[in-house]
């Protein structure tokens, strides 16, 4: 919950109420009638015909003044007989009329009690014309000219008619924008992302613009009308007063919504938490090891980077977002860490490979070179650290307890090995916001798999499972980016294709808001994206690799230049496309275009993607939920064609004893030592009763026979 957002919420709520009061004030009798735009005082109309104000000590003067007073009283009685009221007050939707209590008021600065007798019908785009209103009430044969009504008053009112109607429209726009801003403010209080403050600021600024212009127009109209009435109507007993209450409400609404807009800007900037610096004055080294200070970490719950300037006595401590990433390989460094770095995260790499960790610890930066048809783009990656979890598990746990995000790219088979340390760290967390956990693996439901291992009783106390959602949120993802073979002397630098797709399920973050990472596409239903990617990109890529390896091709580009291999790959993707279209309702043309894009991507000659690299780990690629058996099993269950996929599966089983590929060597041993039906069950995870089992069995027997 964002408690600081309660302030702009309050300002917006008050503004919304005030804007509605400005619109509806005086719309019926006794409903905030005192909040008028201006009031026309006609209670003295005609009384100045004879002047009774001059005093005289003589009896004759006394008699004369008495006579004049009687005459003026008679004139007032005539005015009432003519249906002329004491006052007429203008509002946005109507005007009201009535009499002063206890009687007429000569001094326009006096604020007497009003007895409202009638209000006109509420009308949108209403414009108050006092000349027309009073003339309408006069008895036939009598005109305002008979009462010496100044024509200048009519001219002044007509001059502001268009502005008056524009003012009404602007108040409506302002009230509507404020209402939307109010709804957004309520949402903003309970969300933790940067999107809510940004949207709310936009709505608030729209309301500021509308209400500000409306208030300015109102001020001008009031000043002009009141000035002209008092200037030309004084001689005949007509005066006008400004609606001070109305002006106070409209300008208060404008100022409050402006304050709310500024508060949302603060919320947006504050949430970024990037490069927030705390500067301590003192001798160099006076705050040594502050990043390990438990009290500091407890208060700020954020990573600390110390930068001591050797030329001065100032040490700067910088705080920001922190992500702990398991896996220092090419995908981890070249894809996940790159996008997290660009999103403002400090990345803490965790791995068990001594060589990778040593390089990361000794090197302050590395590069990611994106390769595409348009050329190369180089990104420099900095602001990272590295920990060897094999020797410093306690440090890894401590980092996760104060992190915002945990990601991994270690391979699906390694998830069970990283789960214990993550589980221990999650159990120790006391931060108010749950840790976001996203597994970035080429497998369906990888984060669910990781969460299952974390929630195992060996890794998380069972009495803590019911509350684990308060400490961590687990979201599945689908990633798509080709990392070709790297130069032998590249070191930490990574060469990678420019195209990428990183799709993550946003539903686990419904309460707290998902992490703000621009590279991620957040969706409500991830399954279509996962299967489309796995059964198109991974299936096509691996099929090209296995067919290419069988025909002696060096790279995926070389393989797809072969017409037969090209045809084999397209036939595989035709079968998987049939499944994707039927299962997920994706349009045929859309899937066809996606296939063409993928084939073009994996054919990129600049990637120099070697077939042995793409085809490695055949045991995983032939498993039950993977790129070949996954779609083939579903198609077989519905009686659909799987011939092309079976051809690719045969080539995968024949990918044996490849240099530097342990799984291909293991597959070779399994084929030589295990009966064919047991191989199908062990490698592909299929039961003998499954319709695909009988189709794969002869393939395994054929490969076994060829390897003897």
């Amino acid at each position: 919950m964002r408690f600081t957002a309660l302030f702009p919420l309050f300002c917006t709520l008050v503004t919304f109420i005030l804007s509605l009061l400005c619109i509806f004030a005086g719309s019926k009798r006794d409903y905030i009638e005192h909040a008028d735009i201006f009031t026309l005082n006609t209670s003295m109309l005609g009384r100045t015909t004879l002047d009774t104000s001059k005093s005289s000590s003589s009896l004759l003067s006394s008699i004369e003044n008495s006579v004049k007073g009687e005459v003026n009283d008679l004139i007032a009685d005539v005015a009432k007989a003519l249906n002329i009221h004491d006052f007429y007050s203008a509002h946005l939707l109507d005007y009201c009329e009535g009499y002063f209590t206890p009687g007429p008021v000569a001094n326009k600065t006096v604020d007497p009690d009003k007895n409202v007798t009638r209000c006109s019908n509420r009308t949108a785009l209403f414009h108050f014309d006092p000349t027309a209103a009073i003339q309408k009430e006069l008895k036939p044969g009598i005109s305002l000219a008979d009462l010496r009504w100044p024509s200048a008053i009519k001219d002044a009112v007509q001059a502001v008619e268009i502005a008056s109607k524009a003012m009404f429209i602007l108040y409506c726009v302002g009230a509507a924008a404020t209402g939307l801003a109010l709804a957004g403010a309520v949402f903003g209080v309970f969300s933790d992302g940067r999107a809510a403050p940004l949207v709310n600021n936009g709505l608030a600024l729209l309301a500021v613009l509308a209400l500000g212009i409306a208030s300015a127009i109102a001020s001008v109209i009031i000043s002009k009308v009141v000035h002209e009435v008092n200037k030309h109507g004084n001689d005949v007993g007509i005066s006008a007063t400004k609606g001070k209450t109305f002006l106070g409400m409209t300008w208060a609404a404008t100022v409050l919504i402006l304050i709310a807009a500024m508060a949302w800007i603060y919320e947006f900037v504050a949430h970024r938490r990037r490069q927030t610096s705390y500067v301590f004055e003192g001798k160099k080294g006076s705050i040594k090891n502050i990043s390990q200070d438990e009290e500091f970490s407890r208060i700020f719950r954020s990573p600390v980077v110390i930068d001591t300037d050797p030329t001065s006595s100032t040490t700067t401590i910088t705080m920001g977002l922190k992500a702990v990433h398991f896996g220092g390989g090419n995908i981890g460094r070249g894809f996940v860490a790159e996008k997290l770095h660009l999103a403002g995260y400090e990345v803490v790499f965790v791995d068990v490979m001594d060589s990778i960790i040593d390089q990361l610890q000794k090197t302050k930066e590395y590069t990611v070179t994106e390769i595409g048809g348009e050329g190369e783009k180089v990104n420099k990656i900095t602001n990272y650290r590295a920990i060897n979890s094999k020797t410093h598990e306690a440090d890894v746990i401590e980092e996760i307890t104060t992190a915002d995000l945990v990601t991994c790219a270690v391979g699906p088979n390694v998830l069970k090995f990283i789960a214990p340390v993550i589980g221990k760290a999650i159990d120790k967390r006391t931060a108010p916001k749950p840790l976001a956990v996203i597994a970035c693996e080429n497998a369906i439901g990888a984060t669910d798999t990781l969460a299952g291992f974390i929630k195992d009783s060996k890794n998380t106390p069972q009495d803590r499972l019911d509350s684990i959602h308060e400490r961590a949120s687990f979201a599945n993802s689908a990633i798509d980016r080709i990392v070709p073979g790297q130069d032998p002397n590249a070191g930490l630098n990574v060469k990678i294709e420019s195209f990428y797709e990183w799709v993550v399920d946003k539903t686990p973050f419904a309460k707290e808001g998902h992490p703000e990472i621009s590279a991620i596409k957040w969706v409500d239903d991830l399954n279509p994206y996962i299967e489309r990617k796995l059964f198109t990109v991974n299936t096509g890529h691996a099929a090209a690799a296995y067919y290419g390896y069988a025909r002696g091709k060096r790279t995926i580009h070389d393989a797809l230049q072969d017409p037969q291999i090209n045809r084999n790959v397209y036939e595989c993707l035709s079968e998987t496309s049939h499944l994707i279209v039927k299962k997920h309702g994706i349009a045929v043309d859309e899937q066809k275009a996606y296939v063409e894009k993928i084939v073009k991507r994996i054919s990129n000659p600049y990637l120099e993607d070697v077939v042995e690299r793409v085809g490695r780990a055949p045991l995983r690629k032939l498993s039950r939920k993977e790129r070949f058996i996954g779609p083939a099993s579903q198609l077989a269950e519905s009686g659909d064609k799987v011939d092309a996929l079976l051809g690719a599966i045969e080539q995968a089983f024949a990918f044996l004893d490849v240099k530097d590929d342990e799984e291909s060597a293991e597959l070779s041993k399994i084929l030589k030592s295990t009966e064919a039906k047991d191989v199908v069950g062990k490698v592909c995870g299929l039961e003998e009763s499954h319709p695909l089992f009988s189709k794969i069995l002869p393939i395994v027997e054929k490969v076994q026979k060829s390897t003897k």
Side-chain angles (χ1 to χ4, degrees):
M1 184 174 181
R2 197 197 310 253
F3 290 102
T4 52
L6 291 173
F7 176 68
L9 170 62
F10 172 77
C11 292
T12 306
L13 174 62
V14 177
T15 299
F16 185 60
I17 294 172
L18 289 175
S19 61
L20 291 180
L21 290 179
C22 286
I23 295 174
F24 292 101
S27 58
K28 59 182 180 179
R29 282 186 60 188
D30 301 325
Y31 183 70
I32 323 178
E33 200 284 329
H34 63 281
D36 54 85
I37 299 175
F38 65 86
T39 295
L40 195 66
N41 182 352
T42 56
S43 64
M44 300 300 293
L45 180 62
R47 286 180 177 269
T48 57
T49 303
L50 294 174
D51 186 2
T52 63
S53 61
K54 296 179 182 179
S55 60
S56 173
S57 59
S58 66
L59 178 61
L60 180 61
S61 295
S62 175
I63 295 173
E64 180 182 350
N65 289 339
S66 177
V67 172
K68 290 179 179 180
E70 292 294 332
V71 172
N72 283 336
D73 289 342
L74 180 60
I75 292 173
D77 292 338
V78 172
K80 282 194 175 182
L82 293 175
N83 287 331
I84 297 176
H85 293 78
D86 284 350
F87 67 86
Y88 296 84
S89 55
H91 301 278
L92 273 180
L93 295 174
D94 64 348
Y95 74 90
C96 296
E97 59 189 19
Y99 298 98
F100 291 124
T101 303
V105 178
N107 189 344
K108 58 179 176 290
T109 63
V110 176
D111 187 18
D113 292 333
K114 293 179 179 179
N115 178 25
V116 178
T117 58
R118 186 185 76 89
C119 292
S120 64
N121 294 329
R122 283 183 291 187
T123 307
L125 299 175
F126 173 75
H127 173 65
F128 177 50
D129 183 355
T131 302
I134 297 175
Q135 179 64 59
K136 185 178 179 181
E137 294 183 345
L138 291 175
K139 291 187 176 182
I142 302 175
S143 68
L144 285 175
D146 298 329
L147 301 176
R148 299 170 59 196
W149 184 271
S151 60
I153 294 178
K154 181 177 181 180
D155 295 338
V157 173
Q158 287 180 341
V160 297
E161 180 176 359
I162 295 177
S164 176
K165 293 180 178 180
M167 178 177 68
F168 170 77
I169 294 173
L170 287 168
Y171 274 115
C172 291
V173 172
T178 307
L180 292 173
L182 180 61
V186 173
F187 176 77
V189 169
F190 296 98
S191 70
D192 197 41
R194 293 201 301 269
L198 189 62
V199 172
N200 288 341
N201 174 254
L203 291 171
L205 288 178
L206 176 61
V208 169
L209 185 64
L211 292 176
I213 296 175
S215 299
I217 293 175
S219 298
V220 172
I221 289 176
I222 291 171
S223 295
K224 181 175 178 59
V225 171
V226 170
H227 173 75
E228 292 297 321
V229 169
N230 291 335
K231 177 180 178 182
H232 299 285
N234 187 57
D235 292 340
V236 294
I238 305 171
S239 63
T241 55
K242 296 180 179 180
K244 294 180 180 179
T245 301
F246 179 87
L247 286 174
M249 291 195 307
T250 186
W251 282 113
T254 302
V255 171
L256 283 172
I257 198 64
L258 177 60
I259 293 173
M262 295 171 65
W264 285 123
I265 292 175
Y266 167 79
E267 288 293 327
F268 177 80
V269 174
H271 183 271
R272 294 172 68 97
R273 296 195 300 164
R274 293 187 192 174
Q275 303 304 311
T276 303
S277 298
Y278 294 81
V279 179
F280 292 78
E281 300 296 335
K283 294 182 179 180
K284 177 182 174 182
S286 61
I287 52 172
K288 184 178 179 181
N289 294 327
I290 194 168
S291 59
Q292 303 300 322
D293 186 89
E294 293 182 1
E295 182 64 15
F296 193 92
S297 296
R298 184 187 67 78
I299 295 173
F300 292 105
R301 312 303 301 174
S302 181
V304 180
V305 179
I306 302 177
D307 183 13
T308 302
D309 186 350
T311 64
S312 71
S313 61
T314 300
T315 300
T316 302
I317 301 175
T318 303
M319 300 170 57
L321 296 166
K322 180 173 73 173
V324 175
H325 176 77
F326 285 81
N330 293 331
I331 286 289
R333 300 195 315 277
F335 184 8
V336 181
E338 179 204 30
K339 298 308 177 186
L340 294 178
H341 169 76
L342 294 175
Y345 283 79
E346 179 201 26
V347 178
V348 180
F349 288 100
V350 177
D351 209 311
V352 294
M353 295 290 292
D354 296 337
S355 58
I356 291 289
I357 294 299
D358 289 345
Q359 288 185 74
L360 287 167
Q361 289 177 340
K362 295 175 182 178
T363 308
K364 290 187 177 182
E365 64 182 44
Y366 66 88
T367 61
V368 175
T369 303
E370 299 181 350
I371 304 170
E374 66 282 359
E376 296 185 356
K377 176 185 176 183
V378 179
N379 290 322
K380 184 183 294 184
I381 311 303
T382 59
N383 192 27
Y384 60 82
R385 293 179 286 123
I387 302 174
N388 192 326
S389 57
K390 183 172 57 179
T391 57
H392 293 77
E393 181 181 289
D395 292 343
V396 176
I397 293 173
E398 186 61 30
E399 292 289 350
I400 296 175
T401 59
T402 58
D404 301 278
L405 172 68
V406 164
T407 56
C408 66
V410 294
N413 295 332
V414 183
L415 294 176
K416 60 177 172 282
F417 298 112
I418 67 173
V421 66
I422 299 175
K424 293 175 184 177
I426 290 174
D427 196 55
K428 287 185 63 178
R429 281 179 66 88
T430 58
K433 185 176 181 180
L435 174 72
V437 180
I438 304 173
C440 306
E441 310 289 349
N442 269 326
I444 296 175
T447 306
D448 285 342
T449 302
L450 175 60
F453 290 130
I454 291 173
K455 295 175 183 178
D456 187 277
S457 59
K458 296 190 295 292
N459 301 320
T460 300
Q462 294 303 290
D463 61 344
R464 299 276 285 168
L465 284 180
D466 290 341
S467 61
I468 195 171
H469 66 277
E470 299 174 0
R471 298 182 295 279
S473 298
F474 301 91
N476 285 312
S477 75
I479 61 168
D480 179 10
R481 200 174 199 184
I482 297 173
V483 183
Q486 304 297 305
D487 297 333
N489 299 319
L492 294 175
N493 299 333
V494 182
K495 182 171 60 177
I496 198 167
E497 74 162 331
S498 57
F499 176 89
Y500 73 89
E501 190 173 55
W502 189 1
V503 187
V504 181
D505 181 7
K506 70 178 180 180
T507 56
F509 306 108
K511 182 178 179 181
E512 300 292 340
H514 60 70
E516 293 295 332
I517 303 170
S518 61
I520 292 179
K521 179 177 182 179
W522 301 94
V523 298
D524 292 311
D525 184 6
L526 187 64
N527 287 331
Y529 294 91
I530 292 179
E531 291 205 336
R532 185 175 75 163
K533 184 266 177 180
L534 185 61
F535 298 164
T536 306
V537 180
N538 298 95
T539 301
H541 209 196
Y546 292 135
Y547 275 112
Y549 180 78
R551 290 195 170 217
K553 306 297 181 181
R554 191 180 76 87
T555 66
I556 298 298
H557 170 74
D558 296 336
L560 288 170
Q561 296 308 301
D562 185 308
Q564 183 58 51
I565 296 177
N566 189 282
R567 185 162 48 253
N568 290 337
V569 171
Y570 268 107
E571 287 174 353
C572 283
L573 297 183
S574 175
E575 291 177 355
T576 59
S577 292
H578 176 71
L579 172 65
I580 292 166
V581 169
K582 182 173 67 173
K583 182 176 180 180
H584 298 296
I586 296 174
V588 174
D589 291 343
E590 180 184 344
Q591 176 61 18
K592 184 178 180 181
Y594 183 69
V595 168
E596 292 296 333
K597 180 175 71 173
I598 297 308
V599 173
K600 181 178 179 181
R601 281 177 54 208
I602 64 178
S603 302
N604 187 345
Y606 299 103
L607 291 176
E608 297 185 359
D609 217 357
V610 180
V611 295
E612 288 85 355
R613 187 203 70 81
V614 178
R616 69 187 176 191
L619 285 175
R620 175 169 62 84
K621 292 178 170 70
L622 284 167
S623 62
R624 182 68 172 80
K625 294 182 179 181
E626 265 284 348
R627 62 207 70 194
F628 295 123
I629 305 302
S633 62
Q634 296 182 56
L635 288 166
E637 288 168 2
S638 59
D640 289 312
K641 182 173 173 290
V642 293
D643 295 346
L645 286 169
L646 290 173
I649 290 170
E650 179 179 340
Q651 300 306 315
F653 269 109
F655 191 78
L656 304 173
D657 296 315
V658 178
K659 184 181 178 181
D660 297 326
D661 184 3
E662 294 180 1
E663 284 197 15
S664 69
E666 179 65 21
L667 177 59
S668 179
K669 291 179 182 179
I670 292 173
L671 288 171
K672 292 175 181 178
S673 62
T674 310
E675 291 187 20
K677 65 176 183 179
D678 293 329
V679 171
V680 177
K682 182 176 182 179
V683 175
C684 303
L686 294 170
E687 309 83 13
E688 290 190 38
S689 59
H690 195 281
L692 186 62
F693 186 94
S694 61
K695 298 179 185 295
I696 294 182
L697 182 60
I699 291 175
V700 174
E701 292 173 339
K702 179 181 177 181
V703 174
Q704 285 179 322
K705 189 174 181 180
S706 67
T707 58
K708 289 182 179 179

